Amino acid sequence: MIQPIFLFGSEVLRRVAEPVDITSKEEIAKLVADLKETLARSEGCGLAAPQIGVSRRVFIVDGDVMADVYPYLKGFRRTFINPVVMWESPEQCEFNEGCLSVPGIYADVRRPSSVTIEYYDEDFNRKTETFDKFACRMIQHEFSHLDGILFTDLVAPIRRKMIAKKLVNISKGKVGTAYKSKIK
């Protein structure tokens, strides 16, 4: 079912999400289905459970929407259940990020160039994979949501000052989205 996406200022976005009980397969499958349907109706390339008001350690990424810019992302889709970062490269890179929970704001963010993640996929298989390039970026962005961190927390201080008024406006509901959204 399509869920509203919670916007900047919503408390759920600032909580550290709880792990899911991996034996609750029906509950997790429903959450993953809701994430997929909600993401499909938005203009994003990833969505974390806290963004739909569920403080659980689950997120999805879909590189297809970025395949025109990054052709290697064609068909790149992953579901991450109870992910754990096992390794981060010391090298960092900078990409311009945006977020469905922070509509209309984009900023450069520095993050590790590659990461290794251990997680369960949507078929409940345990996996360990290393990601780089923009796939790594999508995954790190969504992983941050699980820890109550938004990309705006990671931008340079001068940029934070420049976007402060826009963030206040979003938190007051003074923003329009092409998708169902709410602040709570």
Side-chain angles (χ1 to χ4, degrees):
M1 175 185 300
I2 297 168
Q3 301 294 326
I5 294 175
F6 284 69
L7 300 181
F8 182 88
S10 298
E11 181 186 316
V12 68
L13 297 176
R14 293 306 189 171
R15 279 189 233 138
V16 174
E18 296 291 326
V20 295
D21 177 355
I22 203 69
T23 64
S24 302
K25 294 183 178 185
E26 284 183 31
E27 181 183 329
I28 296 168
K30 182 190 178 325
L31 175 58
V32 169
D34 287 353
L35 286 167
K36 287 181 177 183
E37 286 183 51
T38 304
L39 182 61
R41 290 295 177 115
S42 70
E43 299 167 357
C45 58
L47 193 62
Q51 290 179 275
I52 61 168
V54 180
S55 191
R56 294 289 181 260
R57 298 190 78 76
V58 177
F59 69 85
I60 62 170
V61 294
D62 184 347
D64 273 349
V65 297
M66 299 298 293
D68 57 332
V69 178
Y70 305 109
Y72 58 86
L73 290 176
K74 182 77 177 154
F76 180 82
R77 292 182 181 93
R78 295 286 190 286
T79 298
F80 294 82
I81 301 167
N82 291 342
V84 176
V85 174
M86 304 302 290
W87 173 83
E88 295 178 331
S89 70
E91 301 82 28
Q92 295 200 340
C93 61
E94 193 169 83
F95 276 100
N96 195 265
E97 294 187 24
C99 181
L100 294 169
S101 293
V102 190
I105 296 178
Y106 301 89
D108 291 338
V109 177
R110 293 188 65 73
R111 295 186 189 263
S113 298
S114 58
V115 294
T116 300
I117 307 280
E118 185 177 271
Y119 65 99
Y120 289 95
D121 66 13
E122 67 184 288
D123 296 320
F124 306 99
N125 297 310
R126 190 176 196 95
K127 295 193 168 204
T128 302
E129 287 187 90
T130 299
F131 302 95
D132 62 4
K133 301 180 185 175
F134 200 77
C136 177
R137 176 60 48 141
M138 293 187 304
I139 290 163
Q140 289 178 88
H141 178 103
E142 299 309 327
F143 189 92
S144 289
H145 278 295
L146 304 183
D147 289 333
I149 298 168
L150 300 174
F151 83 97
T152 53
D153 301 333
L154 305 175
V155 300
I158 187 75
R159 181 71 174 131
R160 259 196 309 274
K161 283 186 178 189
M162 293 170 62
I163 63 174
K165 184 172 178 160
K166 288 181 180 181
L167 292 172
V168 168
N169 285 339
I170 293 169
S171 71
K172 291 181 178 180
K174 297 179 182 176
V175 66
T177 61
Y179 44 87
K180 202 160 116 178
S181 61
K182 73 190 274 183
I183 299 170
K184 186 175 177 187

